[in-house]
Amino acid sequence: MEPEETLDEQSLLVEEASSPEPSALLPFFFALVLLSFLRVLLGYVSVPLQFVKLGTVLSTVVFIGVPIFALYYAGRYRWTSRSALTFVGIGLLIHFGIGYAIGQQMLHNKGFLAAVCVSLGAECGFPMWCVGFGALLASFIKDRNLIVPVSIFLIGFDIFLVLTPLGITQKILKQAPQVFQAVAMPIPQVTAAPTHGPLQVLGGIGPADFLFMGMFFVALFRFKLRSRATVLCLVPAVLLYMLLIIKYPALPMLVPIGLTVLLVNLPEFKMNKEEKLSTIGVLVIVVLVIMGSFFALKIRQAEPSQSGAVQAVQVSAGSPGQAPAGSHP
């Protein structure tokens, strides 16, 4: 019985190994074309008011789940630097050239061509350059055990950027939210009135989230880890996390992504003592940086109050006191 079980496990691993055949990318492109078609279609479809909430939930599931599965299938391809750079170049051209520069300029006309351009940019160009960058980053992961400290670092770094007062993401979301909307992948929302232009946006997923998801899937396939189990757990994890993001927009999306990758593949990591110490060191540094940012904010907030108190003392010491009511000099 034991040899048979071993063979079954090996066959599963071989099935999840990366493939050099370009046909491995066909499901990826099929998913992108499908999303582009659905995005355009939703711009011309309205539903009764009682079905708006249900339609919004379904569109959210589709426009989050399908791209994650697309990244999963893209990870099956055996990436090279040339193919990754090609995806980056073409994806950026489609996203910002066709989708943003052309599509956004045509939106005032509210025509079909404008909707197609915007859809191609958001649903095709955006995932392409993200998975290209992700494949490039995955090439620096030379050992499966490196996925552990990389995941911990990304989780902590995303928390620092989004939640801490020194994080640039929090500042962008507050001061220039249009920047995030320009580079993020929007999630269409079903509307209750006919529309013939841009769709309402329920939320968005940032480029870093897709980029690192692509990186993780490429690495999981390369090292023959539990990529299939990861995607099956990652989709519901992200969807549930989106419920929190809808209510609290400034939340780090890399937290559920990194934790899912770690927890699902935890039995596959066999780290020696030196690797464990290095991972603990990364965790300590991340925690110190996050705590330090909040401590720096407290110091910054305390400085004006202290200087104001000093000025108040100087003014009161150098000026005559107020005369009592009813008294005369």
PDB file of all heavy atoms in Angstrom, residues 73-101:
ATOM      1  N   TYR A  73      -3.349  29.717 -13.288  1.00  0.00           N
ATOM      2  CA  TYR A  73      -2.997  29.057 -14.548  1.00  0.00           C
ATOM      3  C   TYR A  73      -1.769  29.696 -15.194  1.00  0.00           C
ATOM      4  O   TYR A  73      -0.990  29.016 -15.864  1.00  0.00           O
ATOM      5  CB  TYR A  73      -4.187  29.092 -15.501  1.00  0.00           C
ATOM      6  CG  TYR A  73      -5.253  28.087 -15.154  1.00  0.00           C
ATOM      7  CD1 TYR A  73      -6.467  28.491 -14.602  1.00  0.00           C
ATOM      8  CD2 TYR A  73      -5.045  26.727 -15.356  1.00  0.00           C
ATOM      9  CE1 TYR A  73      -7.441  27.570 -14.264  1.00  0.00           C
ATOM     10  CE2 TYR A  73      -6.015  25.795 -15.023  1.00  0.00           C
ATOM     11  CZ  TYR A  73      -7.207  26.217 -14.477  1.00  0.00           C
ATOM     12  OH  TYR A  73      -8.168  25.291 -14.143  1.00  0.00           O
ATOM     13  N   ALA A  74      -1.594  31.010 -14.995  1.00  0.00           N
ATOM     14  CA  ALA A  74      -0.385  31.647 -15.502  1.00  0.00           C
ATOM     15  C   ALA A  74       0.852  31.118 -14.793  1.00  0.00           C
ATOM     16  O   ALA A  74       1.934  31.020 -15.383  1.00  0.00           O
ATOM     17  CB  ALA A  74      -0.476  33.160 -15.340  1.00  0.00           C
ATOM     18  N   GLY A  75       0.703  30.758 -13.519  1.00  0.00           N
ATOM     19  CA  GLY A  75       1.830  30.213 -12.776  1.00  0.00           C
ATOM     20  C   GLY A  75       2.287  28.862 -13.296  1.00  0.00           C
ATOM     21  O   GLY A  75       3.430  28.450 -13.042  1.00  0.00           O
ATOM     22  N   ARG A  76       1.430  28.170 -14.028  1.00  0.00           N
ATOM     23  CA  ARG A  76       1.799  26.866 -14.571  1.00  0.00           C
ATOM     24  C   ARG A  76       2.848  26.975 -15.671  1.00  0.00           C
ATOM     25  O   ARG A  76       3.542  26.010 -15.971  1.00  0.00           O
ATOM     26  CB  ARG A  76       0.553  26.161 -15.128  1.00  0.00           C
ATOM     27  CG  ARG A  76      -0.485  25.818 -14.075  1.00  0.00           C
ATOM     28  CD  ARG A  76      -1.758  25.300 -14.707  1.00  0.00           C
ATOM     29  NE  ARG A  76      -1.503  24.120 -15.535  1.00  0.00           N
ATOM     30  CZ  ARG A  76      -2.440  23.524 -16.279  1.00  0.00           C
ATOM     31  NH1 ARG A  76      -3.668  24.002 -16.293  1.00  0.00           N
ATOM     32  NH2 ARG A  76      -2.133  22.461 -16.987  1.00  0.00           N
ATOM     33  N   TYR A  77       2.934  28.147 -16.269  1.00  0.00           N
ATOM     34  CA  TYR A  77       3.893  28.325 -17.369  1.00  0.00           C
ATOM     35  C   TYR A  77       5.307  28.461 -16.816  1.00  0.00           C
ATOM     36  O   TYR A  77       5.519  29.074 -15.773  1.00  0.00           O
ATOM     37  CB  TYR A  77       3.520  29.562 -18.173  1.00  0.00           C
ATOM     38  CG  TYR A  77       4.416  29.825 -19.356  1.00  0.00           C
ATOM     39  CD1 TYR A  77       4.503  28.924 -20.413  1.00  0.00           C
ATOM     40  CD2 TYR A  77       5.193  30.975 -19.414  1.00  0.00           C
ATOM     41  CE1 TYR A  77       5.323  29.171 -21.494  1.00  0.00           C
ATOM     42  CE2 TYR A  77       6.011  31.241 -20.491  1.00  0.00           C
ATOM     43  CZ  TYR A  77       6.078  30.330 -21.529  1.00  0.00           C
ATOM     44  OH  TYR A  77       6.906  30.569 -22.603  1.00  0.00           O
ATOM     45  N   ARG A  78       6.263  27.887 -17.508  1.00  0.00           N
ATOM     46  CA  ARG A  78       7.668  27.987 -17.083  1.00  0.00           C
ATOM     47  C   ARG A  78       8.237  29.297 -17.617  1.00  0.00           C
ATOM     48  O   ARG A  78       8.711  29.390 -18.748  1.00  0.00           O
ATOM     49  CB  ARG A  78       8.466  26.791 -17.594  1.00  0.00           C
ATOM     50  CG  ARG A  78       9.856  26.668 -16.976  1.00  0.00           C
ATOM     51  CD  ARG A  78      10.497  25.351 -17.362  1.00  0.00           C
ATOM     52  NE  ARG A  78       9.698  24.213 -16.889  1.00  0.00           N
ATOM     53  CZ  ARG A  78       9.917  22.956 -17.257  1.00  0.00           C
ATOM     54  NH1 ARG A  78      10.905  22.672 -18.086  1.00  0.00           N
ATOM     55  NH2 ARG A  78       9.153  21.991 -16.782  1.00  0.00           N
ATOM     56  N   TRP A  79       8.235  30.306 -16.775  1.00  0.00           N
ATOM     57  CA  TRP A  79       8.573  31.654 -17.195  1.00  0.00           C
ATOM     58  C   TRP A  79      10.079  31.838 -17.385  1.00  0.00           C
ATOM     59  O   TRP A  79      10.887  31.273 -16.650  1.00  0.00           O
ATOM     60  CB  TRP A  79       8.063  32.664 -16.179  1.00  0.00           C
ATOM     61  CG  TRP A  79       6.578  32.775 -16.144  1.00  0.00           C
ATOM     62  CD1 TRP A  79       5.714  32.032 -15.390  1.00  0.00           C
ATOM     63  CD2 TRP A  79       5.771  33.655 -16.908  1.00  0.00           C
ATOM     64  NE1 TRP A  79       4.425  32.400 -15.628  1.00  0.00           N
ATOM     65  CE2 TRP A  79       4.422  33.396 -16.553  1.00  0.00           C
ATOM     66  CE3 TRP A  79       6.044  34.648 -17.854  1.00  0.00           C
ATOM     67  CZ2 TRP A  79       3.360  34.097 -17.110  1.00  0.00           C
ATOM     68  CZ3 TRP A  79       4.979  35.348 -18.406  1.00  0.00           C
ATOM     69  CH2 TRP A  79       3.668  35.073 -18.049  1.00  0.00           C
ATOM     70  N   THR A  80      10.416  32.668 -18.367  1.00  0.00           N
ATOM     71  CA  THR A  80      11.783  33.140 -18.550  1.00  0.00           C
ATOM     72  C   THR A  80      11.782  34.657 -18.417  1.00  0.00           C
ATOM     73  O   THR A  80      10.715  35.294 -18.414  1.00  0.00           O
ATOM     74  CB  THR A  80      12.329  32.746 -19.927  1.00  0.00           C
ATOM     75  OG1 THR A  80      11.527  33.375 -20.960  1.00  0.00           O
ATOM     76  CG2 THR A  80      12.283  31.221 -20.111  1.00  0.00           C
ATOM     77  N   SER A  81      12.955  35.233 -18.330  1.00  0.00           N
ATOM     78  CA  SER A  81      13.035  36.700 -18.227  1.00  0.00           C
ATOM     79  C   SER A  81      12.440  37.370 -19.458  1.00  0.00           C
ATOM     80  O   SER A  81      11.758  38.401 -19.348  1.00  0.00           O
ATOM     81  CB  SER A  81      14.494  37.132 -18.035  1.00  0.00           C
ATOM     82  OG  SER A  81      15.029  36.605 -16.846  1.00  0.00           O
ATOM     83  N   ARG A  82      12.670  36.780 -20.626  1.00  0.00           N
ATOM     84  CA  ARG A  82      12.151  37.379 -21.859  1.00  0.00           C
ATOM     85  C   ARG A  82      10.629  37.353 -21.881  1.00  0.00           C
ATOM     86  O   ARG A  82       9.986  38.370 -22.196  1.00  0.00           O
ATOM     87  CB  ARG A  82      12.707  36.632 -23.069  1.00  0.00           C
ATOM     88  CG  ARG A  82      12.179  37.145 -24.405  1.00  0.00           C
ATOM     89  CD  ARG A  82      12.767  36.380 -25.570  1.00  0.00           C
ATOM     90  NE  ARG A  82      14.215  36.574 -25.648  1.00  0.00           N
ATOM     91  CZ  ARG A  82      14.984  36.030 -26.598  1.00  0.00           C
ATOM     92  NH1 ARG A  82      14.445  35.232 -27.513  1.00  0.00           N
ATOM     93  NH2 ARG A  82      16.278  36.257 -26.614  1.00  0.00           N
ATOM     94  N   SER A  83      10.031  36.207 -21.558  1.00  0.00           N
ATOM     95  CA  SER A  83       8.574  36.115 -21.587  1.00  0.00           C
ATOM     96  C   SER A  83       7.945  37.020 -20.527  1.00  0.00           C
ATOM     97  O   SER A  83       6.899  37.652 -20.766  1.00  0.00           O
ATOM     98  CB  SER A  83       8.131  34.668 -21.375  1.00  0.00           C
ATOM     99  OG  SER A  83       8.594  34.168 -20.124  1.00  0.00           O
ATOM    100  N   ALA A  84       8.583  37.113 -19.355  1.00  0.00           N
ATOM    101  CA  ALA A  84       8.047  37.971 -18.306  1.00  0.00           C
ATOM    102  C   ALA A  84       8.101  39.441 -18.719  1.00  0.00           C
ATOM    103  O   ALA A  84       7.126  40.186 -18.530  1.00  0.00           O
ATOM    104  CB  ALA A  84       8.826  37.751 -17.007  1.00  0.00           C
ATOM    105  N   LEU A  85       9.221  39.875 -19.294  1.00  0.00           N
ATOM    106  CA  LEU A  85       9.344  41.264 -19.738  1.00  0.00           C
ATOM    107  C   LEU A  85       8.382  41.568 -20.879  1.00  0.00           C
ATOM    108  O   LEU A  85       7.864  42.689 -20.980  1.00  0.00           O
ATOM    109  CB  LEU A  85      10.785  41.557 -20.164  1.00  0.00           C
ATOM    110  CG  LEU A  85      11.819  41.619 -19.028  1.00  0.00           C
ATOM    111  CD1 LEU A  85      13.220  41.735 -19.597  1.00  0.00           C
ATOM    112  CD2 LEU A  85      11.522  42.785 -18.090  1.00  0.00           C
ATOM    113  N   THR A  86       8.138  40.586 -21.733  1.00  0.00           N
ATOM    114  CA  THR A  86       7.169  40.770 -22.816  1.00  0.00           C
ATOM    115  C   THR A  86       5.776  41.017 -22.256  1.00  0.00           C
ATOM    116  O   THR A  86       5.048  41.908 -22.722  1.00  0.00           O
ATOM    117  CB  THR A  86       7.152  39.537 -23.735  1.00  0.00           C
ATOM    118  OG1 THR A  86       8.455  39.342 -24.290  1.00  0.00           O
ATOM    119  CG2 THR A  86       6.152  39.709 -24.865  1.00  0.00           C
ATOM    120  N   PHE A  87       5.401  40.243 -21.239  1.00  0.00           N
ATOM    121  CA  PHE A  87       4.096  40.427 -20.615  1.00  0.00           C
ATOM    122  C   PHE A  87       4.015  41.791 -19.943  1.00  0.00           C
ATOM    123  O   PHE A  87       2.962  42.446 -19.991  1.00  0.00           O
ATOM    124  CB  PHE A  87       3.845  39.317 -19.595  1.00  0.00           C
ATOM    125  CG  PHE A  87       3.046  38.170 -20.131  1.00  0.00           C
ATOM    126  CD1 PHE A  87       3.507  37.424 -21.202  1.00  0.00           C
ATOM    127  CD2 PHE A  87       1.833  37.828 -19.566  1.00  0.00           C
ATOM    128  CE1 PHE A  87       2.782  36.366 -21.700  1.00  0.00           C
ATOM    129  CE2 PHE A  87       1.082  36.769 -20.056  1.00  0.00           C
ATOM    130  CZ  PHE A  87       1.560  36.041 -21.133  1.00  0.00           C
ATOM    131  N   VAL A  88       5.093  42.215 -19.308  1.00  0.00           N
ATOM    132  CA  VAL A  88       5.098  43.523 -18.650  1.00  0.00           C
ATOM    133  C   VAL A  88       4.884  44.637 -19.678  1.00  0.00           C
ATOM    134  O   VAL A  88       4.043  45.521 -19.495  1.00  0.00           O
ATOM    135  CB  VAL A  88       6.410  43.748 -17.884  1.00  0.00           C
ATOM    136  CG1 VAL A  88       6.501  45.191 -17.383  1.00  0.00           C
ATOM    137  CG2 VAL A  88       6.506  42.794 -16.699  1.00  0.00           C
ATOM    138  N   GLY A  89       5.632  44.584 -20.768  1.00  0.00           N
ATOM    139  CA  GLY A  89       5.529  45.629 -21.788  1.00  0.00           C
ATOM    140  C   GLY A  89       4.162  45.685 -22.441  1.00  0.00           C
ATOM    141  O   GLY A  89       3.545  46.757 -22.544  1.00  0.00           O
ATOM    142  N   ILE A  90       3.658  44.533 -22.883  1.00  0.00           N
ATOM    143  CA  ILE A  90       2.352  44.499 -23.549  1.00  0.00           C
ATOM    144  C   ILE A  90       1.240  44.855 -22.562  1.00  0.00           C
ATOM    145  O   ILE A  90       0.300  45.588 -22.901  1.00  0.00           O
ATOM    146  CB  ILE A  90       2.103  43.111 -24.166  1.00  0.00           C
ATOM    147  CG1 ILE A  90       3.143  42.836 -25.270  1.00  0.00           C
ATOM    148  CG2 ILE A  90       0.698  43.013 -24.741  1.00  0.00           C
ATOM    149  CD1 ILE A  90       3.028  41.458 -25.894  1.00  0.00           C
ATOM    150  N   GLY A  91       1.349  44.341 -21.340  1.00  0.00           N
ATOM    151  CA  GLY A  91       0.323  44.634 -20.345  1.00  0.00           C
ATOM    152  C   GLY A  91       0.243  46.113 -20.014  1.00  0.00           C
ATOM    153  O   GLY A  91      -0.859  46.686 -19.914  1.00  0.00           O
ATOM    154  N   LEU A  92       1.390  46.769 -19.833  1.00  0.00           N
ATOM    155  CA  LEU A  92       1.396  48.205 -19.546  1.00  0.00           C
ATOM    156  C   LEU A  92       0.835  48.997 -20.716  1.00  0.00           C
ATOM    157  O   LEU A  92       0.112  49.996 -20.518  1.00  0.00           O
ATOM    158  CB  LEU A  92       2.820  48.669 -19.228  1.00  0.00           C
ATOM    159  CG  LEU A  92       3.409  48.203 -17.887  1.00  0.00           C
ATOM    160  CD1 LEU A  92       4.866  48.614 -17.781  1.00  0.00           C
ATOM    161  CD2 LEU A  92       2.609  48.779 -16.725  1.00  0.00           C
ATOM    162  N   LEU A  93       1.153  48.569 -21.938  1.00  0.00           N
ATOM    163  CA  LEU A  93       0.630  49.257 -23.124  1.00  0.00           C
ATOM    164  C   LEU A  93      -0.887  49.158 -23.191  1.00  0.00           C
ATOM    165  O   LEU A  93      -1.575  50.152 -23.457  1.00  0.00           O
ATOM    166  CB  LEU A  93       1.251  48.651 -24.381  1.00  0.00           C
ATOM    167  CG  LEU A  93       0.753  49.220 -25.720  1.00  0.00           C
ATOM    168  CD1 LEU A  93       1.090  50.697 -25.833  1.00  0.00           C
ATOM    169  CD2 LEU A  93       1.353  48.443 -26.895  1.00  0.00           C
ATOM    170  N   ILE A  94      -1.419  47.963 -22.915  1.00  0.00           N
ATOM    171  CA  ILE A  94      -2.874  47.785 -22.954  1.00  0.00           C
ATOM    172  C   ILE A  94      -3.546  48.525 -21.804  1.00  0.00           C
ATOM    173  O   ILE A  94      -4.562  49.207 -21.993  1.00  0.00           O
ATOM    174  CB  ILE A  94      -3.229  46.288 -22.910  1.00  0.00           C
ATOM    175  CG1 ILE A  94      -2.693  45.575 -24.163  1.00  0.00           C
ATOM    176  CG2 ILE A  94      -4.739  46.092 -22.815  1.00  0.00           C
ATOM    177  CD1 ILE A  94      -2.897  44.075 -24.133  1.00  0.00           C
ATOM    178  N   HIS A  95      -2.965  48.410 -20.605  1.00  0.00           N
ATOM    179  CA  HIS A  95      -3.598  49.004 -19.414  1.00  0.00           C
ATOM    180  C   HIS A  95      -3.614  50.523 -19.480  1.00  0.00           C
ATOM    181  O   HIS A  95      -4.674  51.160 -19.363  1.00  0.00           O
ATOM    182  CB  HIS A  95      -2.870  48.528 -18.160  1.00  0.00           C
ATOM    183  CG  HIS A  95      -3.546  48.938 -16.894  1.00  0.00           C
ATOM    184  ND1 HIS A  95      -2.961  48.798 -15.643  1.00  0.00           N
ATOM    185  CD2 HIS A  95      -4.764  49.504 -16.646  1.00  0.00           C
ATOM    186  CE1 HIS A  95      -3.782  49.232 -14.721  1.00  0.00           C
ATOM    187  NE2 HIS A  95      -4.881  49.681 -15.297  1.00  0.00           N
ATOM    188  N   PHE A  96      -2.445  51.119 -19.658  1.00  0.00           N
ATOM    189  CA  PHE A  96      -2.356  52.573 -19.606  1.00  0.00           C
ATOM    190  C   PHE A  96      -2.500  53.225 -20.982  1.00  0.00           C
ATOM    191  O   PHE A  96      -2.945  54.366 -21.075  1.00  0.00           O
ATOM    192  CB  PHE A  96      -1.029  52.993 -18.973  1.00  0.00           C
ATOM    193  CG  PHE A  96      -0.914  52.607 -17.530  1.00  0.00           C
ATOM    194  CD1 PHE A  96      -0.166  51.509 -17.143  1.00  0.00           C
ATOM    195  CD2 PHE A  96      -1.577  53.330 -16.551  1.00  0.00           C
ATOM    196  CE1 PHE A  96      -0.063  51.142 -15.808  1.00  0.00           C
ATOM    197  CE2 PHE A  96      -1.484  52.981 -15.214  1.00  0.00           C
ATOM    198  CZ  PHE A  96      -0.729  51.886 -14.842  1.00  0.00           C
ATOM    199  N   GLY A  97      -2.127  52.506 -22.031  1.00  0.00           N
ATOM    200  CA  GLY A  97      -2.257  53.079 -23.371  1.00  0.00           C
ATOM    201  C   GLY A  97      -3.671  52.993 -23.896  1.00  0.00           C
ATOM    202  O   GLY A  97      -4.335  54.006 -24.141  1.00  0.00           O
ATOM    203  N   ILE A  98      -4.166  51.767 -24.052  1.00  0.00           N
ATOM    204  CA  ILE A  98      -5.511  51.568 -24.599  1.00  0.00           C
ATOM    205  C   ILE A  98      -6.571  51.834 -23.542  1.00  0.00           C
ATOM    206  O   ILE A  98      -7.531  52.580 -23.769  1.00  0.00           O
ATOM    207  CB  ILE A  98      -5.653  50.138 -25.158  1.00  0.00           C
ATOM    208  CG1 ILE A  98      -4.657  49.920 -26.308  1.00  0.00           C
ATOM    209  CG2 ILE A  98      -7.084  49.876 -25.625  1.00  0.00           C
ATOM    210  CD1 ILE A  98      -4.672  48.515 -26.852  1.00  0.00           C
ATOM    211  N   GLY A  99      -6.398  51.218 -22.364  1.00  0.00           N
ATOM    212  CA  GLY A  99      -7.446  51.297 -21.349  1.00  0.00           C
ATOM    213  C   GLY A  99      -7.583  52.649 -20.709  1.00  0.00           C
ATOM    214  O   GLY A  99      -8.694  53.158 -20.534  1.00  0.00           O
ATOM    215  N   TYR A 100      -6.460  53.272 -20.366  1.00  0.00           N
ATOM    216  CA  TYR A 100      -6.533  54.520 -19.600  1.00  0.00           C
ATOM    217  C   TYR A 100      -6.425  55.753 -20.501  1.00  0.00           C
ATOM    218  O   TYR A 100      -7.309  56.609 -20.494  1.00  0.00           O
ATOM    219  CB  TYR A 100      -5.441  54.554 -18.545  1.00  0.00           C
ATOM    220  CG  TYR A 100      -5.635  55.660 -17.531  1.00  0.00           C
ATOM    221  CD1 TYR A 100      -6.624  55.555 -16.558  1.00  0.00           C
ATOM    222  CD2 TYR A 100      -4.842  56.792 -17.547  1.00  0.00           C
ATOM    223  CE1 TYR A 100      -6.816  56.567 -15.630  1.00  0.00           C
ATOM    224  CE2 TYR A 100      -5.029  57.815 -16.632  1.00  0.00           C
ATOM    225  CZ  TYR A 100      -6.019  57.693 -15.669  1.00  0.00           C
ATOM    226  OH  TYR A 100      -6.205  58.710 -14.762  1.00  0.00           O
ATOM    227  N   ALA A 101      -5.371  55.838 -21.299  1.00  0.00           N
ATOM    228  CA  ALA A 101      -5.165  57.029 -22.121  1.00  0.00           C
ATOM    229  C   ALA A 101      -6.263  57.192 -23.162  1.00  0.00           C
ATOM    230  O   ALA A 101      -6.837  58.273 -23.309  1.00  0.00           O
ATOM    231  CB  ALA A 101      -3.798  56.951 -22.802  1.00  0.00           C
TER     232      ALA A 101
END
